[in-house]
Amino acid sequence: MQATPMAFEPPESFNIADYFLVDRLGEGRGGAVALRLDDRTLTYAQVDALASRAGHALRQLGVRQEERVIVALPDGAAFVAALFGVLKIGAVVVMVNPELPIDNLAAIIRYSRARVVVVDRMGRDSMEGAVAESGRTPDVLELDPDAPGGAETLETVATHRDDPAIWLFSGGTTGRPKAVVQTHRSFANTTELYGKRTLGLTERDVTISVPKLYFGYATGSNLFFPFSVGGSSVMFADRPTPEALFDRIARHGATVLINVPKLIKEMVDHPGAGAADLSSLRFATSAGEALPPALYDRWIDTFGVELLDGLGTAEMWHVFLTNHPGDVRPGSLGRPVEGFDVRVRDLDGNDVAAGEVGRLWVRGDSRAIGYWQDMPQTMEAFRGEWFAAGDLVRQDDASYFHYVGRADDAVKVGGKWLLPAEVESCLLEHADVLEVAVIGAPDAAGLTKPVAFVVAADPDAGGLEARLMEHVLARLEPYKRPRRVVLLDRMPRTHLGKMNRSELRSRAAAALSE
């Protein structure tokens, strides 16, 4: 791949276990705090020792360079030790959500042909059940970072900068896992361009994340980025509620919050939001799903903390479009991270004029090798230096990009295009709406109509469906009004925690037929 301007060019022999962890010891930072857990802190030297022990344990089970190892662990010392332990021996990390159902875990075991699966004591039983169901025979390694003993030094294997390092799952909104094979080069490149140069992280920063580490957005923002500069990361295994975040931000003096729209809304809606102490935060980031402008405004009014919305994909590993510190345009995705070239193109791959909607294309040195065992999809999405995403965007006259929606979510209603993100943003402005997804589905006559699925603040409130329809009708064109509003206790989610639109599509058709 031809290097783009500003790209980070690592040496040919390059392993990110050194780049993110071992090099800190060589810089004299071995005694600096790397991890901030609920009950203790761990230094870089201690994390390296745990990673070395994990690497030795994997080798004793016969793991060889380039073989895949599934890491199915909650956030904490064991996850970090396992990840760097796998990388140290030149193997490939397959990160998965440890709370997946057994049949999903079994499918990933078959798909990845992993040599070993790493779990903790709580996850061992379900993983052994998944192994039995998978029909394969990987070893199950139970990793306990508090267990005594084990060798605490391990020399890092000399991998090539373009060797596979980590699998990232890109299930989109369909719920079907699809592995994106990413290289050592990619993780270092985005860290240099986005983590260091755009966000300006330093050794004084303390990060904390809403998404968990198995999600590439968090792997970067709450582990790789702070580790690359000698900063520290706050990690906790339990669910990231507003209370959990308020408490830990204040207790650890967090300076950077990695967030998503769902928790942004929960935080501003929380009764204790006004009393929460977020004064230590320099800024927060948002990604994973579209951030409505009204929600951005509420965040600023409530907390006064700069909020940087951005967009990234597993195929480019992390964020490449973002609002920059000191340069935020609410409702936009900001501008490209230097070192990435982003275009808006039509179906034939030609650039469109400013203001027109098109498919997002991006190139840069964080591009993945491709999709595992899916050459047709790889050839469709990876076009030479470029990755052609499934996202629809537009670029305004000032060169800021705006998210429009997923190409496969856009639907025609009455001969006109409807983009669900626009209707969702409108509904989220209503005080009774906590979460919403708008889906196009055929009615009894075969005509496509929009259906809104809503998680309400008060599901027992009478007449909510009619009020929400009127709310949209007063603000948007009539054809964009949902024909049904379906109240849910909670949204169905994919393995990455995104709304499972595939499941909602089948439910939307049923709702229209009622």
Side-chain angles (χ1 to χ4, degrees):
M1 184 188 302
Q2 179 181 352
T4 52
M6 294 287 292
F8 173 69
E9 185 69 11
E12 186 171 333
S13 178
F14 182 75
N15 187 314
I16 54 173
D18 287 339
Y19 173 81
F20 288 118
L21 176 59
V22 181
D23 287 355
R24 302 295 82 76
L25 278 62
E27 296 165 356
R29 300 180 188 271
V33 173
L35 293 182
R36 300 177 182 271
L37 310 176
D38 284 346
D39 59 347
R40 66 192 187 284
T41 60
L42 293 175
T43 66
Y44 280 95
Q46 290 171 320
V47 171
D48 181 65
L50 291 175
S52 296
R53 286 168 50 189
H56 280 295
L58 290 167
R59 276 187 173 165
Q60 288 170 5
L61 291 172
V63 178
R64 297 169 296 179
Q65 187 169 351
E66 299 183 19
E67 289 188 318
R68 290 169 291 281
V69 176
I70 291 176
V71 175
L73 290 163
D75 284 18
F79 185 106
V80 177
L83 182 143
F84 284 118
V86 174
L87 293 170
K88 276 194 166 206
I89 64 173
V92 180
V93 178
V94 179
M95 302 185 298
V96 303
N97 180 352
E99 297 181 359
L100 285 176
I102 286 177
D103 58 338
N104 290 34
L105 292 171
I108 291 174
I109 292 169
R110 286 192 297 270
Y111 177 52
S112 66
R113 299 198 292 266
R115 178 69 183 79
V116 171
V117 180
V118 185
V119 298
D120 62 5
R121 181 177 57 83
M122 296 294 293
R124 181 164 196 131
D125 287 347
S126 61
M127 187 58 73
E128 287 182 340
V131 168
E133 186 174 321
S134 73
R136 298 192 63 84
T137 58
D139 288 306
V140 177
L141 172 62
E142 183 181 321
L143 197 62
D144 180 1
D146 297 320
E152 297 191 348
T153 59
L154 176 64
E155 186 175 350
T156 304
V157 165
T159 52
H160 191 280
R161 63 193 171 201
D162 294 326
D163 278 348
I166 299 175
W167 279 20
L168 303 171
F169 283 101
S170 176
T173 58
T174 66
R176 289 187 59 195
K178 180 170 58 178
V180 176
V181 182
Q182 275 288 12
T183 67
H184 290 265
R185 178 203 297 261
S186 291
F187 295 103
N189 182 64
T190 298
T191 298
E192 292 287 332
L193 300 181
Y194 175 64
K196 293 183 180 181
R197 299 180 193 176
T198 301
L199 298 183
L201 295 186
T202 73
E203 71 277 2
R204 294 184 296 277
D205 277 308
V206 179
T207 61
I208 185 170
S209 177
V210 168
K212 295 303 184 181
L213 287 174
Y214 64 82
F215 188 14
Y217 173 37
T219 319
S221 296
N222 200 38
L223 178 59
F224 287 168
F225 296 170
F227 271 41
S228 73
V229 294
S232 61
S233 167
V234 178
M235 290 188 186
F236 56 99
D238 52 317
R239 195 168 70 85
T241 62
E243 297 90 345
L245 293 166
F246 293 153
D247 172 65
R248 290 177 175 91
I249 290 169
R251 184 169 10 131
H252 297 286
T255 62
V256 177
L257 170 63
I258 298 93
N259 215 336
V260 297
K262 179 178 183 293
L263 257 294
I264 289 171
K265 182 166 175 52
E266 289 184 19
M267 290 176 74
V268 299
D269 284 343
H270 194 273
D277 180 10
L278 306 189
S279 61
S280 61
L281 290 178
R282 295 199 296 119
F283 59 83
T285 65
S286 178
E289 292 177 331
L291 177 67
L295 185 54
Y296 169 88
D297 292 339
R298 290 190 61 203
W299 171 272
I300 296 299
D301 291 344
T302 304
F303 300 118
V305 174
E306 191 168 41
L307 180 58
L308 310 176
D309 191 19
L311 182 144
T313 66
E315 293 85 353
M316 297 298 293
W317 176 44
H318 209 278
V319 169
F320 52 81
L321 265 179
T322 184
N323 285 272
H324 291 56
D327 179 18
V328 174
R329 177 161 292 196
S332 83
L333 296 168
R335 297 176 288 106
V337 171
E338 287 192 71
F340 293 92
D341 187 2
V342 181
R343 305 288 178 88
V344 186
R345 292 181 166 169
D346 61 21
L347 294 177
D348 296 321
N350 301 310
D351 291 347
V352 304
E356 291 187 18
V357 174
R359 187 176 180 182
L360 184 152
W361 286 52
V362 56
R363 65 176 171 178
D365 281 5
S366 298
R367 209 207 74 164
I369 294 172
Y371 301 118
W372 179 252
Q373 295 180 342
D374 196 339
M375 186 56 68
Q377 283 294 311
T378 296
M379 292 176 69
E380 196 284 328
F382 294 90
R383 317 281 185 91
E385 294 179 289
W386 295 90
F387 167 63
D391 299 291
L392 297 176
V393 296
R394 63 177 176 83
Q395 187 177 14
D396 64 27
D397 292 335
S399 297
Y400 290 84
F401 286 78
H402 299 259
Y403 184 77
V404 176
R406 292 284 300 175
D408 51 5
D409 289 338
V411 294
K412 269 195 171 181
V413 178
K416 299 179 181 179
W417 281 110
L418 180 145
L419 297 166
E422 180 185 12
V423 186
E424 290 166 358
S425 180
C426 177
L427 284 167
L428 278 170
E429 295 174 8
H430 196 286
D432 289 331
V433 176
L434 296 179
E435 284 190 274
V436 61
V438 174
I439 304 293
D443 63 11
L447 301 175
T448 300
K449 306 295 183 184
V451 176
F453 292 90
V454 170
V455 177
D458 181 8
D460 297 324
L464 183 57
E465 179 175 354
R467 293 201 306 276
L468 293 180
M469 288 182 180
E470 292 169 2
H471 176 83
V472 174
L473 194 58
R475 291 160 176 79
L476 301 177
E477 295 169 84
Y479 79 93
K480 297 177 181 178
R481 173 182 60 86
R483 302 311 191 269
R484 282 292 314 276
V485 174
V486 180
L487 299 183
L488 302 176
D489 293 332
R490 59 181 177 274
M491 286 289 177
R493 300 267 168 194
T494 70
H495 63 288
L496 291 179
K498 295 183 180 181
M499 290 182 190
N500 191 332
R501 292 181 182 268
S502 179
E503 180 177 331
L504 291 176
R505 284 190 187 97
S506 62
R507 298 172 69 171
L512 287 171
S513 66
E514 292 177 358

